[in-house]
Amino acid sequence: YEFITIQKVLAALLPKPTVRILCNTLRERSLSILAYLLKSYFQHGQKPFNINIDVLKAQVGLSSANRGTNNEVITDTLILLKKLGFIDYKVVKEMDKVSGGFKTVYILLSVDNYIDWTGGN
């Protein structure tokens, strides 16, 4: 085997306790979504940005054409990651200039790849 050192900006590393708990309790797509959001957050200079649900679906191998169930899979995962304290985001409704209707926009506010799982303060 040959191990290659890569630049930090090209990788999103999750600490062992984070990986263990998410692997033991959630599907692997939660890890993929968390790692993708972490990498994207740093690419955006640690500033809020719009989460592209279709990109997240592609990242975890779901069809972007399915806007029902597959969108629910992504948004449910976002809810859980937020409740666990890994991410913070807000949801806003914006007017879609193309369709004239409203669309739901998810704005990532912050990401944390490490949580104190000891329950201490």
Side-chain angles (χ1 to χ4, degrees), residues 4-5 7 13 24 32-33 35 37-38 47 52 64 76 81 85-86 103 113 115-116 121:
I4 301 170
T5 303
Q7 299 172 7
L13 301 177
N24 286 340
S32 296
I33 289 172
L37 291 175
L38 180 65
K47 295 189 177 8
N52 187 321
S64 61
D76 287 351
L81 290 172
F86 286 111
K103 66 179 181 177
N113 68 337
I115 302 297
D116 179 8
N121 292 340

Side-chain angles (χ1 to χ4, degrees), residues 89-103:
Y89 65 91
K90 67 180 179 179
V91 181
V92 296
K93 299 282 186 182
E94 291 182 352
M95 177 69 79
D96 185 345
K97 294 175 183 160
V98 176
S99 70
F102 284 94
K103 66 179 181 177

Side-chain angles (χ1 to χ4, degrees), residues 6 9-11 18 32 35 42 58-59 62 72 85 94 112 121:
I6 59 174
V9 295
L10 298 177
T18 300
S32 296
F42 279 94
Q59 185 72 23
L62 298 173
E72 280 183 349
E94 291 182 352
D112 191 347
N121 292 340

Side-chain angles (χ1 to χ4, degrees), residues 54-113:
D54 286 339
V55 169
L56 289 179
K57 287 190 290 190
Q59 185 72 23
V60 296
L62 298 173
S63 169
S64 61
N66 179 324
R67 304 198 72 63
T69 303
N70 288 351
N71 279 18
E72 280 183 349
V73 168
I74 299 301
T75 57
D76 287 351
T77 304
L78 293 176
I79 290 167
L80 188 59
L81 290 172
K82 182 175 183 173
K83 293 284 186 188
L84 291 172
F86 286 111
I87 65 172
D88 189 22
Y89 65 91
K90 67 180 179 179
V91 181
V92 296
K93 299 282 186 182
E94 291 182 352
M95 177 69 79
D96 185 345
K97 294 175 183 160
V98 176
S99 70
F102 284 94
K103 66 179 181 177
T104 304
V105 178
Y106 292 81
I107 302 169
L108 186 72
L109 302 173
S110 64
V111 181
D112 191 347
N113 68 337

